[in-house]
Amino acid sequence: MFLKVKTIENIMQKIAPTKLKEDYDNVGLMVGDKEDRVTKILIALDCTMDVIYEAKEKGCNFILTHHPLLFVKPETITADTLIGKKVIQLIKNGINVYASHTNLDSVEGGLNDIATEILGYNKYKIIEPSKNINSNEGYAGIGRLVHLDEPIRLAQLCENVKKFYRAEFIRYVGHDNDLIKTIAIINGSGEDFFHESIRLGADCIITGDTKYHGACDLLEENVALIDAGHFATEWVPFKMFGEKFKNNLVKNGYDNEVIFSENTFDSYKIK
């Protein structure tokens, strides 16, 4: 069967409904034509210029990203801005871009669930339930809370995070021998959920993109923090989602090639 852009829209709407996005977010088809026939699909965390060129070189006319290209809607589309250059290149090359962001974080089986299961935890609760879902529709929300049957030393938990998220490095707050009993896990940037995580009893928070003052406050409250970076806590889970997405296409009778971007990497370097 022919796969069209609107078909992927329908598939993604079933997997991660747009109504589950946070109010500040922008998700869905960023650039494209719903009637376009899809050739190959490129999976990437962000729609960078390098990713656009990669899609062109590999014959992909559809890019599926986690972070929205048009997070803040531009007033104009011109070659004078980076966003403008990207949109112009996409349109010139007939490349469609679709983003599934906080709705994919929130939904059952989405990135928060995957990020938690990567660490070996299959029993968890939602930290902040979505306001956009009814109780009879399942569960959704940001962050996952894990109550451990057996405490784990913070040093060991740090090693687990580094290993399973394939992080080049981590930052952490706390003492190596601290015994952790309740863990809050928020993929990407989770500092907005510190207060609720602590209220729910978390004695360790695993996330990325934390700031100095937030870390200082956690230290004073005797709550451990493991910051594995925004990239590490999202790219590994998003690639695993990409495999699920690929299997979903096959299940629905589509055999389009799904490629994982070789130009998706952490912008930060370490010495």
Side-chain angles (χ1 to χ4, degrees), residues 36 40 50 57-58 61 86 92 113 181-182 198-200 222 232 242 244 250 253 258 260:
D36 271 1
K40 299 177 185 178
D50 284 342
E57 290 171 3
K58 294 180 177 177
N61 73 339
K86 290 179 182 180
K92 277 184 175 180
D113 284 352
K181 299 178 181 178
T182 303
I198 295 170
R199 190 188 72 80
L200 293 173
N222 295 314
K244 291 184 177 183
V250 173
V258 177
F260 293 91

PDB file of all heavy atoms in Angstrom, residues 36 40 50 57-58 61 86 92 113 181-182 198-200 222 232 242 244 250 253 258 260:
ATOM      1  N   ASP A  36       1.126  14.034   0.174  1.00  0.00           N
ATOM      2  CA  ASP A  36       2.390  13.501  -0.353  1.00  0.00           C
ATOM      3  C   ASP A  36       2.507  12.001  -0.096  1.00  0.00           C
ATOM      4  O   ASP A  36       2.165  11.514   0.989  1.00  0.00           O
ATOM      5  CB  ASP A  36       3.586  14.194   0.310  1.00  0.00           C
ATOM      6  CG  ASP A  36       4.015  15.440  -0.436  1.00  0.00           C
ATOM      7  OD1 ASP A  36       3.383  15.779  -1.451  1.00  0.00           O
ATOM      8  OD2 ASP A  36       4.989  16.081   0.012  1.00  0.00           O
ATOM      9  N   LYS A  40      11.027   7.271   2.090  1.00  0.00           N
ATOM     10  CA  LYS A  40      11.687   6.758   3.289  1.00  0.00           C
ATOM     11  C   LYS A  40      11.460   7.730   4.444  1.00  0.00           C
ATOM     12  O   LYS A  40      11.212   8.916   4.230  1.00  0.00           O
ATOM     13  CB  LYS A  40      13.197   6.593   3.051  1.00  0.00           C
ATOM     14  CG  LYS A  40      13.553   5.630   1.938  1.00  0.00           C
ATOM     15  CD  LYS A  40      15.067   5.601   1.734  1.00  0.00           C
ATOM     16  CE  LYS A  40      15.449   4.732   0.554  1.00  0.00           C
ATOM     17  NZ  LYS A  40      16.934   4.758   0.323  1.00  0.00           N
ATOM     18  N   ASP A  50      21.710  19.692   9.281  1.00  0.00           N
ATOM     19  CA  ASP A  50      22.398  18.451   8.937  1.00  0.00           C
ATOM     20  C   ASP A  50      21.415  17.304   8.745  1.00  0.00           C
ATOM     21  O   ASP A  50      21.601  16.449   7.864  1.00  0.00           O
ATOM     22  CB  ASP A  50      23.408  18.079  10.029  1.00  0.00           C
ATOM     23  CG  ASP A  50      24.662  18.926   9.972  1.00  0.00           C
ATOM     24  OD1 ASP A  50      24.906  19.553   8.918  1.00  0.00           O
ATOM     25  OD2 ASP A  50      25.404  18.967  10.970  1.00  0.00           O
ATOM     26  N   GLU A  57      19.897  13.381   1.095  1.00  0.00           N
ATOM     27  CA  GLU A  57      20.897  12.450   0.556  1.00  0.00           C
ATOM     28  C   GLU A  57      20.407  11.006   0.576  1.00  0.00           C
ATOM     29  O   GLU A  57      20.739  10.217  -0.313  1.00  0.00           O
ATOM     30  CB  GLU A  57      22.190  12.558   1.368  1.00  0.00           C
ATOM     31  CG  GLU A  57      22.935  13.876   1.161  1.00  0.00           C
ATOM     32  CD  GLU A  57      24.088  14.048   2.128  1.00  0.00           C
ATOM     33  OE1 GLU A  57      24.344  13.106   2.928  1.00  0.00           O
ATOM     34  OE2 GLU A  57      24.736  15.115   2.117  1.00  0.00           O
ATOM     35  N   LYS A  58      19.608  10.652   1.576  1.00  0.00           N
ATOM     36  CA  LYS A  58      19.162   9.270   1.736  1.00  0.00           C
ATOM     37  C   LYS A  58      17.795   9.009   1.107  1.00  0.00           C
ATOM     38  O   LYS A  58      17.251   7.912   1.220  1.00  0.00           O
ATOM     39  CB  LYS A  58      19.150   8.899   3.214  1.00  0.00           C
ATOM     40  CG  LYS A  58      20.550   8.878   3.828  1.00  0.00           C
ATOM     41  CD  LYS A  58      20.529   8.511   5.304  1.00  0.00           C
ATOM     42  CE  LYS A  58      21.952   8.428   5.857  1.00  0.00           C
ATOM     43  NZ  LYS A  58      21.991   8.138   7.312  1.00  0.00           N
ATOM     44  N   ASN A  61      11.671  11.581   2.400  1.00  0.00           N
ATOM     45  CA  ASN A  61      10.855  12.793   2.260  1.00  0.00           C
ATOM     46  C   ASN A  61       9.946  12.990   3.469  1.00  0.00           C
ATOM     47  O   ASN A  61       8.992  13.769   3.435  1.00  0.00           O
ATOM     48  CB  ASN A  61      10.051  12.801   0.958  1.00  0.00           C
ATOM     49  CG  ASN A  61       8.885  11.828   0.984  1.00  0.00           C
ATOM     50  OD1 ASN A  61       8.855  10.881   1.771  1.00  0.00           O
ATOM     51  ND2 ASN A  61       7.917  12.056   0.107  1.00  0.00           N
ATOM     52  N   LYS A  86      15.653  26.580   7.271  1.00  0.00           N
ATOM     53  CA  LYS A  86      15.240  25.172   7.360  1.00  0.00           C
ATOM     54  C   LYS A  86      13.936  24.938   6.616  1.00  0.00           C
ATOM     55  O   LYS A  86      13.818  23.989   5.823  1.00  0.00           O
ATOM     56  CB  LYS A  86      15.090  24.767   8.828  1.00  0.00           C
ATOM     57  CG  LYS A  86      16.384  24.666   9.599  1.00  0.00           C
ATOM     58  CD  LYS A  86      16.121  24.281  11.052  1.00  0.00           C
ATOM     59  CE  LYS A  86      17.408  24.223  11.854  1.00  0.00           C
ATOM     60  NZ  LYS A  86      17.162  23.843  13.263  1.00  0.00           N
ATOM     61  N   LYS A  92      11.716  23.228  -0.593  1.00  0.00           N
ATOM     62  CA  LYS A  92      12.416  23.069  -1.877  1.00  0.00           C
ATOM     63  C   LYS A  92      12.647  21.595  -2.207  1.00  0.00           C
ATOM     64  O   LYS A  92      12.590  21.200  -3.373  1.00  0.00           O
ATOM     65  CB  LYS A  92      13.772  23.785  -1.820  1.00  0.00           C
ATOM     66  CG  LYS A  92      13.718  25.279  -2.091  1.00  0.00           C
ATOM     67  CD  LYS A  92      15.123  25.868  -2.116  1.00  0.00           C
ATOM     68  CE  LYS A  92      15.103  27.338  -2.494  1.00  0.00           C
ATOM     69  NZ  LYS A  92      16.487  27.904  -2.510  1.00  0.00           N
ATOM     70  N   ASP A 113       7.549   6.429  29.898  1.00  0.00           N
ATOM     71  CA  ASP A 113       7.494   4.994  30.207  1.00  0.00           C
ATOM     72  C   ASP A 113       8.765   4.288  29.729  1.00  0.00           C
ATOM     73  O   ASP A 113       9.362   3.491  30.459  1.00  0.00           O
ATOM     74  CB  ASP A 113       6.275   4.348  29.540  1.00  0.00           C
ATOM     75  CG  ASP A 113       4.981   4.663  30.271  1.00  0.00           C
ATOM     76  OD1 ASP A 113       5.037   5.253  31.364  1.00  0.00           O
ATOM     77  OD2 ASP A 113       3.906   4.328  29.733  1.00  0.00           O
ATOM     78  N   LYS A 181      15.259   4.953  47.801  1.00  0.00           N
ATOM     79  CA  LYS A 181      14.083   4.084  47.885  1.00  0.00           C
ATOM     80  C   LYS A 181      12.984   4.458  46.884  1.00  0.00           C
ATOM     81  O   LYS A 181      12.227   3.599  46.445  1.00  0.00           O
ATOM     82  CB  LYS A 181      13.503   4.126  49.308  1.00  0.00           C
ATOM     83  CG  LYS A 181      14.472   3.646  50.385  1.00  0.00           C
ATOM     84  CD  LYS A 181      13.862   3.767  51.769  1.00  0.00           C
ATOM     85  CE  LYS A 181      14.848   3.314  52.838  1.00  0.00           C
ATOM     86  NZ  LYS A 181      14.279   3.470  54.216  1.00  0.00           N
ATOM     87  N   THR A 182      12.905   5.750  46.555  1.00  0.00           N
ATOM     88  CA  THR A 182      11.858   6.220  45.637  1.00  0.00           C
ATOM     89  C   THR A 182      12.481   7.145  44.597  1.00  0.00           C
ATOM     90  O   THR A 182      13.136   8.124  44.953  1.00  0.00           O
ATOM     91  CB  THR A 182      10.748   6.966  46.393  1.00  0.00           C
ATOM     92  OG1 THR A 182      10.207   6.102  47.414  1.00  0.00           O
ATOM     93  CG2 THR A 182       9.631   7.373  45.442  1.00  0.00           C
ATOM     94  N   ILE A 198       9.175  15.629  44.952  1.00  0.00           N
ATOM     95  CA  ILE A 198       9.502  15.586  46.381  1.00  0.00           C
ATOM     96  C   ILE A 198       8.241  15.378  47.212  1.00  0.00           C
ATOM     97  O   ILE A 198       8.222  14.600  48.177  1.00  0.00           O
ATOM     98  CB  ILE A 198      10.224  16.883  46.800  1.00  0.00           C
ATOM     99  CG1 ILE A 198      11.583  16.976  46.098  1.00  0.00           C
ATOM    100  CG2 ILE A 198      10.414  16.930  48.318  1.00  0.00           C
ATOM    101  CD1 ILE A 198      12.264  18.317  46.249  1.00  0.00           C
ATOM    102  N   ARG A 199       7.164  16.044  46.838  1.00  0.00           N
ATOM    103  CA  ARG A 199       5.900  15.889  47.561  1.00  0.00           C
ATOM    104  C   ARG A 199       5.418  14.440  47.547  1.00  0.00           C
ATOM    105  O   ARG A 199       4.835  13.948  48.524  1.00  0.00           O
ATOM    106  CB  ARG A 199       4.832  16.801  46.946  1.00  0.00           C
ATOM    107  CG  ARG A 199       3.549  16.884  47.769  1.00  0.00           C
ATOM    108  CD  ARG A 199       2.461  17.629  47.035  1.00  0.00           C
ATOM    109  NE  ARG A 199       1.916  16.846  45.935  1.00  0.00           N
ATOM    110  CZ  ARG A 199       1.010  15.882  46.083  1.00  0.00           C
ATOM    111  NH1 ARG A 199       0.560  15.548  47.279  1.00  0.00           N
ATOM    112  NH2 ARG A 199       0.557  15.223  45.034  1.00  0.00           N
ATOM    113  N   LEU A 200       5.707  13.753  46.453  1.00  0.00           N
ATOM    114  CA  LEU A 200       5.290  12.356  46.319  1.00  0.00           C
ATOM    115  C   LEU A 200       6.262  11.390  46.980  1.00  0.00           C
ATOM    116  O   LEU A 200       6.056  10.176  46.934  1.00  0.00           O
ATOM    117  CB  LEU A 200       5.126  12.006  44.842  1.00  0.00           C
ATOM    118  CG  LEU A 200       3.976  12.721  44.115  1.00  0.00           C
ATOM    119  CD1 LEU A 200       4.017  12.438  42.622  1.00  0.00           C
ATOM    120  CD2 LEU A 200       2.625  12.299  44.698  1.00  0.00           C
ATOM    121  N   ASN A 222      18.067  17.156  51.049  1.00  0.00           N
ATOM    122  CA  ASN A 222      18.500  15.750  51.122  1.00  0.00           C
ATOM    123  C   ASN A 222      17.831  14.876  50.064  1.00  0.00           C
ATOM    124  O   ASN A 222      17.462  13.723  50.321  1.00  0.00           O
ATOM    125  CB  ASN A 222      18.237  15.172  52.524  1.00  0.00           C
ATOM    126  CG  ASN A 222      19.072  15.859  53.582  1.00  0.00           C
ATOM    127  OD1 ASN A 222      20.268  16.067  53.412  1.00  0.00           O
ATOM    128  ND2 ASN A 222      18.435  16.221  54.696  1.00  0.00           N
ATOM    129  N   ALA A 232      20.730  12.557  26.303  1.00  0.00           N
ATOM    130  CA  ALA A 232      20.811  11.139  26.666  1.00  0.00           C
ATOM    131  C   ALA A 232      19.480  10.589  27.157  1.00  0.00           C
ATOM    132  O   ALA A 232      19.121   9.440  26.851  1.00  0.00           O
ATOM    133  CB  ALA A 232      21.891  10.931  27.729  1.00  0.00           C
ATOM    134  N   GLY A 242      11.082   4.728  17.976  1.00  0.00           N
ATOM    135  CA  GLY A 242      11.189   4.615  16.526  1.00  0.00           C
ATOM    136  C   GLY A 242      11.051   3.183  16.047  1.00  0.00           C
ATOM    137  O   GLY A 242      10.447   2.920  14.995  1.00  0.00           O
ATOM    138  N   LYS A 244       9.301   0.894  17.601  1.00  0.00           N
ATOM    139  CA  LYS A 244       7.878   0.586  17.751  1.00  0.00           C
ATOM    140  C   LYS A 244       7.076   1.168  16.592  1.00  0.00           C
ATOM    141  O   LYS A 244       6.158   0.527  16.062  1.00  0.00           O
ATOM    142  CB  LYS A 244       7.348   1.156  19.073  1.00  0.00           C
ATOM    143  CG  LYS A 244       7.876   0.475  20.321  1.00  0.00           C
ATOM    144  CD  LYS A 244       7.208   1.076  21.562  1.00  0.00           C
ATOM    145  CE  LYS A 244       7.669   0.372  22.826  1.00  0.00           C
ATOM    146  NZ  LYS A 244       6.984   0.903  24.037  1.00  0.00           N
ATOM    147  N   VAL A 250       4.738  -1.744   9.633  1.00  0.00           N
ATOM    148  CA  VAL A 250       4.726  -3.105   9.068  1.00  0.00           C
ATOM    149  C   VAL A 250       3.402  -3.792   9.387  1.00  0.00           C
ATOM    150  O   VAL A 250       2.784  -4.437   8.516  1.00  0.00           O
ATOM    151  CB  VAL A 250       5.912  -3.925   9.621  1.00  0.00           C
ATOM    152  CG1 VAL A 250       5.803  -5.381   9.173  1.00  0.00           C
ATOM    153  CG2 VAL A 250       7.232  -3.322   9.162  1.00  0.00           C
ATOM    154  N   GLY A 253       0.740  -2.874   7.121  1.00  0.00           N
ATOM    155  CA  GLY A 253       0.926  -3.226   5.717  1.00  0.00           C
ATOM    156  C   GLY A 253       1.824  -2.314   4.921  1.00  0.00           C
ATOM    157  O   GLY A 253       1.832  -2.368   3.688  1.00  0.00           O
ATOM    158  N   VAL A 258      12.614   2.789   7.367  1.00  0.00           N
ATOM    159  CA  VAL A 258      12.734   3.734   8.471  1.00  0.00           C
ATOM    160  C   VAL A 258      14.203   3.789   8.877  1.00  0.00           C
ATOM    161  O   VAL A 258      14.801   2.777   9.229  1.00  0.00           O
ATOM    162  CB  VAL A 258      11.860   3.320   9.669  1.00  0.00           C
ATOM    163  CG1 VAL A 258      12.066   4.284  10.844  1.00  0.00           C
ATOM    164  CG2 VAL A 258      10.384   3.275   9.270  1.00  0.00           C
ATOM    165  N   PHE A 260      17.393   5.677  11.109  1.00  0.00           N
ATOM    166  CA  PHE A 260      17.720   6.495  12.273  1.00  0.00           C
ATOM    167  C   PHE A 260      18.875   7.425  11.918  1.00  0.00           C
ATOM    168  O   PHE A 260      19.895   6.992  11.402  1.00  0.00           O
ATOM    169  CB  PHE A 260      18.067   5.608  13.467  1.00  0.00           C
ATOM    170  CG  PHE A 260      16.885   4.823  13.969  1.00  0.00           C
ATOM    171  CD1 PHE A 260      16.615   3.550  13.472  1.00  0.00           C
ATOM    172  CD2 PHE A 260      16.017   5.373  14.899  1.00  0.00           C
ATOM    173  CE1 PHE A 260      15.514   2.828  13.898  1.00  0.00           C
ATOM    174  CE2 PHE A 260      14.910   4.665  15.331  1.00  0.00           C
ATOM    175  CZ  PHE A 260      14.653   3.393  14.834  1.00  0.00           C
TER     176      PHE A 260
END
